[in-house]
Amino acid sequence: MSKKYLFILISLAIFNCACESNKSNEKNGNFTYELEIIDSLTIDYLGNLELLAIHAEKDLFLFSEENQLMIFNKAGEKVSVFDKPQDAPDAFGQFVLGATFSNDKIGVLGISKFNIYDMDFNLEKSFKKPYPHKGMIYSGFDHLHAGKKAGKPTFVAFTGGPQVDARSNMLQYYQEYNTLDLIDSEQESFSPIIPFHPNSRYAKGTEAFDFIKPHFQVQDHIVYFTHQNDSLFYQFDLDNHAEFKSEKIPFDKFILNRGYEIGGQQDYETPVDRSGEITHLFQVEDRHVLTYRSGLKLSELPGNEVSSEERREMISKLDPEKLIVREGDGSYSQPSIITKRYRISRVDSKGRIWAHQNVHEMEFEPDQITVYELKLVRKSSK
């Protein structure tokens, strides 16, 4: 697979689920959005490159392959490369947990340290994370963003889990949870930020959940985020923590995973519904693009009489990835199905959406890397 989902420490299992029939669909406007391919980036490269970040002003693209980092221009030419052993003095370690451009610098988050490079990968600053890694190790995800706090540049990151001295089946875990971490490169510090919102089902402390993962975007001092297996949209102000808002996302359908008893453990043996999941959150100008899968009831899932490959194909058709857009005024579009021709990866500061070509949907294996530039197009519903 071209997507480098490295889940270390434990494999993700199917979540226990409960159906939520979201009947707030009347909040959706009489319009939909589609994604149109308007351009592409082609790189003559044999391998699996993962797009990490885009420098929109200079049309530079940061890719990774294992512990190698590469910058390409819009013509597909390699501009600079970082290819050193993971234990080199200026290396970030074995895995890239997140990377982003900040002006003409590159921030790279490793498991135990945060590095800042210039555009030629000369190390300018490096400092260690003050707490040990907790949770899972995610590589290739959009888990590091540049932002501002009190007018000064900062970074916001998801490091794999909260900095809580408690397990996910303990009440303390939910009382002291932090969604993200703030990285101050001047002070060389990490600070846990953003507890559960009072409206979050995770804040109630009546059920336990494993693998709570956010999707987030940062615009100056505002952090927009969702949780992967929940149906609320949040806004958090880094300068004024009292400005913490939540709202229901009017999905057409979204099956919530059911938690388990505090102090207990998740049952992974009993067949359950396939839970809904938010797969991406992107900001395009003043709009937010959410991609998701609704999930399937247990009665809708294919039986054991089909092979694993057939089962995956059937589930992909029964539960396709969809797109819903939140307008700047808080209204939402109607959902629309996303083509399987590509896999959405990143959005840049100009509002351009970038997606990897889905080679699994092609009749032959291409000998080049193709990344499509997509445009969000609004259309009236019929």
Side-chain angles (χ1 to χ4, degrees):
M1 295 177 63
S2 61
K3 181 69 177 176
K4 298 177 186 172
Y5 290 164
L6 300 178
F7 297 99
I8 298 178
L9 303 180
I10 191 166
S11 298
L12 279 175
I14 298 176
F15 292 97
N16 277 346
C17 309
C19 181
E20 176 194 78
S21 295
N22 192 332
K23 297 182 179 180
S24 56
N25 209 32
E26 62 271 12
K27 295 181 181 179
N28 297 63
N30 190 31
F31 58 93
T32 60
Y33 276 93
E34 294 181 2
L35 295 170
E36 294 184 359
I37 298 174
I38 60 172
D39 203 350
S40 64
L41 165 67
T42 302
I43 300 172
D44 188 9
Y45 186 88
L46 291 176
N48 295 317
L49 293 179
E50 191 62 44
L51 179 61
L52 296 180
I54 303 98
H55 193 306
E57 289 70 29
K58 295 187 175 181
D59 271 348
L60 296 176
F61 301 81
L62 176 63
F63 288 87
S64 69
E65 185 177 34
E66 297 180 353
N67 63 341
Q68 186 180 34
L69 299 175
M70 288 163 275
I71 295 177
F72 291 86
N73 60 24
K74 190 69 183 296
E77 301 164 333
K78 188 182 293 184
V79 175
S80 57
V81 61
F82 182 92
D83 186 14
K84 295 185 180 181
Q86 64 189 53
D87 57 352
D90 56 349
F92 48 81
Q94 185 177 4
F95 301 108
V96 181
L97 300 189
T100 189
F101 289 105
S102 180
N103 297 321
D104 287 336
K105 309 295 181 185
I106 307 166
V108 179
L109 178 65
I111 293 176
S112 62
K113 66 173 71 172
F114 182 75
N115 288 358
I116 296 179
Y117 300 94
D118 67 15
M119 301 296 282
D120 292 317
F121 292 110
N122 297 305
L123 183 65
E124 295 195 351
K125 180 173 286 191
S126 178
F127 53 96
K128 291 186 177 181
K129 191 167 65 174
Y131 29 75
H133 184 84
K134 293 183 179 180
M136 299 186 357
I137 294 178
Y138 298 87
S139 184
F141 288 82
D142 197 17
H143 285 173
L144 182 70
H145 288 268
K148 290 183 180 179
K149 180 173 173 58
K152 295 182 178 180
T154 190
F155 294 90
V156 179
F158 176 61
T159 63
Q163 315 313 323
V164 180
D165 191 20
R167 296 186 300 274
S168 58
N169 66 348
M170 300 171 64
L171 183 59
Q172 179 188 353
Y173 184 85
Y174 303 91
Q175 294 173 332
E176 301 178 10
Y177 191 94
N178 66 282
T179 306
L180 302 167
D181 286 272
L182 193 69
I183 303 175
D184 188 325
S185 59
E186 288 187 5
Q187 300 296 321
E188 300 187 0
S189 64
F190 282 71
S191 303
I193 57 170
I194 313 182
F196 286 127
H197 190 279
N199 292 340
S200 170
R201 66 190 183 119
Y202 301 124
K204 295 179 174 59
T206 55
E207 289 182 294
F209 297 86
D210 296 334
F211 315 119
I212 301 172
K213 176 188 170 187
H215 297 284
F216 67 102
Q217 295 279 278
V218 182
Q219 183 177 41
D220 293 330
H221 58 98
I222 305 297
V223 181
Y224 302 95
F225 71 98
T226 64
H227 290 114
Q228 179 167 297
N229 296 106
D230 202 2
S231 55
L232 295 183
F233 175 84
Y234 300 98
Q235 301 178 56
F236 182 84
D237 192 329
L238 293 173
D239 290 341
N240 182 4
H241 294 183
E243 288 293 313
F244 190 5
K245 303 175 184 178
S246 74
E247 65 186 43
K248 192 80 167 178
I249 304 168
F251 292 121
D252 54 333
K253 172 187 173 185
F254 198 85
I255 298 178
L256 292 177
N257 62 311
R258 186 178 295 160
Y260 58 95
E261 185 179 359
I262 294 289
Q265 61 182 11
Q266 185 72 275
D267 175 12
Y268 292 117
E269 300 298 326
T270 305
V272 294
D273 299 337
R274 174 184 172 87
S275 64
E277 65 169 352
I278 296 172
T279 52
H280 293 99
L281 169 65
F282 294 121
Q283 184 167 354
V284 178
E285 298 173 340
D286 65 341
R287 294 165 293 184
H288 286 89
V289 180
L290 296 109
T291 64
Y292 69 100
R293 292 184 176 87
S294 294
L296 295 169
K297 296 292 289 181
L298 183 59
S299 59
E300 299 174 296
L301 290 168
N304 295 327
E305 68 276 3
V306 299
S307 67
S308 297
E309 183 175 347
E310 288 176 316
R311 180 183 175 86
R312 285 193 295 269
E313 291 179 359
M314 292 174 69
I315 288 176
S316 178
K317 292 179 180 178
L318 292 169
D319 189 21
E321 191 172 25
K322 304 175 206 174
L323 175 150
I324 188 171
V325 176
R326 182 187 187 274
E327 297 287 332
D329 62 4
S331 63
Y332 284 81
S333 71
Q334 295 287 337
S336 56
I337 294 176
I338 302 174
T339 178
K340 293 195 290 185
R341 287 182 59 192
Y342 46 71
R343 173 174 53 82
I344 299 174
S345 179
R346 295 291 189 271
V347 65
D348 64 30
S349 60
K350 290 183 178 179
R352 299 176 299 181
I353 300 171
W354 300 91
H356 282 268
Q357 184 181 57
N358 190 352
V359 297
H360 301 292
E361 294 296 313
M362 302 178 66
E363 296 181 357
F364 59 91
E365 186 84 17
D367 56 4
Q368 293 179 320
I369 303 291
T370 299
V371 179
Y372 296 118
E373 178 187 342
L374 308 178
K375 180 181 180 181
L376 193 62
V377 180
R378 176 170 165 158
K379 299 193 173 184
S380 298
S381 297
K382 296 181 180 180

